[in-house]
Amino acid sequence: MGCKIEEFKQEQKKRMRAVQDSMDVLNGKWKIAIITSICCYGKRRFSDILNDIEGISNRMLSKELKELEINQLIKRTVLDTQPISVQYELTEHGDTLQTIISNLTDWGIVHRKKIVGS
Amino acid sequence: MGCKIEEFKQEQKKRMRAVQDSMDVLNGKWKIAIITSICCYGKRRFSDILNDIEGISNRMLSKELKELEINQLIKRTVLDTQPISVQYELTEHGDTLQTIISNLTDWGIVHRKKIVGS
DNA sequence: CTGAATCCAGATGGATACTG
DNA sequence: CAGTATCCATCTGGATTCAG
């Protein structure tokens, strides 16, 4: 039955789109570092994250934070300090990424050993 | 003890490097689609993969396959046909990616529902 | 059939300076 | 402090053509 094959192909397409959706969210040079920084401390201010991640510029931090917020992974809160500061924390949805990040971490370690041997 | 904090930071750095390693391997517009295509059928020829993935060009397929091969995720075999054809299959190491891809698929589906609502 | 080579547009990201 | 704006180099990937 060609039917079954077609169904299978459709299923595959859906799955590939889903993986791509995840990758789109996680792509960008600093996304994962930012998520890690925030989730590590629970709550984190802009300047804290800027210090946590070596090499990132305020321009990129701002840009990536905005994208993470659009994807509802982090929540942004303006604190009434003088001067103002802004706090970022993971949303519940953002928290669900932890399994993936953990898997990626484990695999990355094995992979590096495999490739570089260290 | 500042020591503990330093240790913690070092640990975090290693973990972030590891996640980044994984992402580097998986990045590129077609990597996951290619892996999926190959692992789906076990063995797959260049032109088959080209047909499996709609929109990919031979230039990109060639490029991404090469990177996957460098990372030891796939094995390339030249078949003695006329004209020659080339077969690709996952290595054992490549197989270990399946958990991650599965995770990314599941999360992507949930995420899409969350964001777009479909 | 399986690529490699070339050309080119658009995206990405760094450096720096500026604003509320 | 938390961004925004601008400029600019590099990277990415598409289209097309050529080669073994």
Side-chain angles (χ1 to χ4, degrees):
Chain A
M1 318 245 172
C3 251
K4 281 272 172 78
I5 296 180
E6 264 318 302
E7 269 178 45
F8 179 73
K9 279 200 174 182
Q10 282 309 312
E11 189 59 29
Q12 271 309 324
K13 265 200 178 178
K14 274 188 200 167
R15 297 176 78 76
M16 281 184 9
R17 189 190 62 177
V19 190
Q20 220 29 77
D21 285 345
S22 299
M23 293 297 288
D24 288 347
V25 169
L26 262 19
N27 267 348
K29 194 170 176 183
W30 310 98
K31 293 267 163 61
I32 292 176
I34 293 171
I35 292 173
T36 303
S37 164
I38 295 175
C39 99
C40 222
Y41 295 93
K43 301 178 178 187
R44 210 71 178 140
R45 286 180 310 149
F46 189 89
S47 50
D48 293 330
I49 306 175
L50 207 53
N51 285 322
D52 289 341
I53 305 171
E54 79 178 34
I56 196 172
S57 66
N58 55 354
R59 176 183 177 279
M60 286 310 293
L61 178 54
S62 173
K63 210 182 109 194
E64 306 254 63
L65 280 170
K66 202 175 290 175
E67 290 174 19
L68 290 173
E69 199 192 350
I70 288 173
N71 279 312
Q72 302 180 27
L73 301 179
I74 61 174
K75 188 183 153 206
R76 179 180 180 274
T77 314
V78 179
L79 301 180
D80 195 13
T81 55
Q82 190 49 245
I84 63 153
S85 56
V86 180
Q87 191 176 75
Y88 293 91
E89 57 196 306
L90 290 191
T91 60
E92 272 185 45
H93 183 46
D95 270 326
T96 66
L97 270 177
Q98 294 202 35
T99 309
I100 287 181
I101 292 184
S102 170
N103 285 152
L104 287 169
T105 306
D106 295 343
W107 192 88
I109 291 169
V110 173
H111 177 66
R112 177 172 283 262
K113 277 192 188 132
K114 185 102 188 168
I115 299 299
V116 211
S118 77
Chain B
M1 319 247 168
C3 250
K4 281 272 172 78
I5 296 180
E6 265 318 303
E7 270 178 44
F8 179 72
K9 278 200 175 182
Q10 282 309 313
E11 189 58 29
Q12 270 309 323
K13 263 199 180 180
K14 275 188 198 167
R15 298 176 78 74
M16 279 183 10
R17 190 190 63 178
V19 189
Q20 220 28 79
D21 285 344
S22 298
M23 292 299 287
D24 288 348
V25 169
L26 262 20
N27 267 348
K29 194 169 177 184
W30 310 97
K31 292 267 165 58
I32 292 175
I34 293 170
I35 293 174
T36 303
S37 164
I38 295 175
C39 99
C40 221
Y41 295 94
K43 302 179 178 185
R44 209 70 179 144
R45 287 180 312 148
F46 189 89
S47 50
D48 292 330
I49 306 175
L50 208 55
N51 284 323
D52 289 342
I53 305 171
E54 78 178 35
I56 196 173
S57 66
N58 56 354
R59 176 185 178 279
M60 287 310 293
L61 179 54
S62 172
K63 211 182 108 194
E64 306 253 64
L65 280 171
K66 200 177 291 175
E67 291 174 19
L68 290 173
E69 198 192 351
I70 288 173
N71 280 313
Q72 301 180 30
L73 300 179
I74 60 173
K75 188 184 152 207
R76 178 178 181 276
T77 314
V78 179
L79 301 180
D80 195 14
T81 54
Q82 191 49 245
I84 63 152
S85 57
V86 181
Q87 192 176 73
Y88 294 91
E89 57 196 306
L90 289 192
T91 60
E92 272 185 44
H93 183 46
D95 270 326
T96 66
L97 269 177
Q98 294 201 33
T99 308
I100 287 181
I101 292 184
S102 171
N103 286 151
L104 287 169
T105 305
D106 295 343
W107 193 87
I109 290 169
V110 173
H111 178 66
R112 176 172 284 262
K113 277 192 189 130
K114 185 101 188 167
I115 299 300
V116 212
S118 76

